[in-house]
Amino acid sequence: MGIGPLGERRIVPILGGTFAGPNIAGVVLAGGADRQLLRADGVLELDALYEMRTDDGTLLSVRNHVIIDSSAAYARSHVEITAPGGPYAWLNRRLFVGTLRTLLPERKAVCIRVFEVR
């Protein structure tokens, strides 16, 4: 997208993946996007919006706000998950934080770990 007054903007397509955790697993669906802002101070801000389908067919929407400061080896996020009523409705009522790390050079992908704040 180019350089603007806040820094360099990019859009990276989300092509898919998998996820798993206690009592939940499934696939990340292709079609989402990661909107990125590389700020003048070198910090990278990500705003990813995508969908996941659980193994039982339930669709979840995810918005992941990430701050990456490579000078301090810091990558932390706030993750919002929206679920329909039913067995995953509890996801709508929880606060989640996460970490992100690249899987390069082995794979052109990232590993995102998400934790419920209790």
Side-chain angles (χ1 to χ4, degrees):
M1 293 181 64
I3 297 175
L6 301 177
E8 181 183 354
R9 293 196 172 275
R10 306 181 283 222
I11 296 179
V12 176
I14 295 173
L15 304 177
T18 60
F19 69 95
N23 303 313
I24 189 169
V27 295
V28 177
L29 301 176
D34 186 358
R35 287 142 183 91
Q36 303 181 352
L37 172 64
L38 180 57
R39 301 182 337 200
D41 63 1
V43 170
L44 182 61
E45 295 182 17
L46 311 179
D47 186 15
L49 183 59
Y50 53 95
E51 278 65 48
M52 303 188 309
R53 184 176 54 241
T54 64
D55 286 344
D56 66 6
T58 302
L59 290 177
L60 308 173
S61 290
V62 178
R63 186 161 194 184
N64 193 1
H65 305 272
V66 184
I67 297 291
I68 301 173
D69 182 354
S70 58
S71 70
Y74 181 89
R76 300 295 181 262
S77 68
H78 168 236
V79 183
E80 301 169 17
I81 304 172
T82 304
Y88 303 106
W90 64 273
L91 294 167
N92 299 309
R93 301 184 301 271
R94 298 293 188 270
L95 176 65
F96 299 97
V97 296
T99 63
L100 180 143
R101 69 179 173 83
T102 182
L103 297 178
L104 290 171
E106 293 82 25
R107 293 177 48 203
K108 202 170 178 182
V110 294
C111 176
I112 300 168
R113 295 188 180 272
V114 178
F115 306 90
E116 178 185 356
V117 177
R118 294 183 177 232

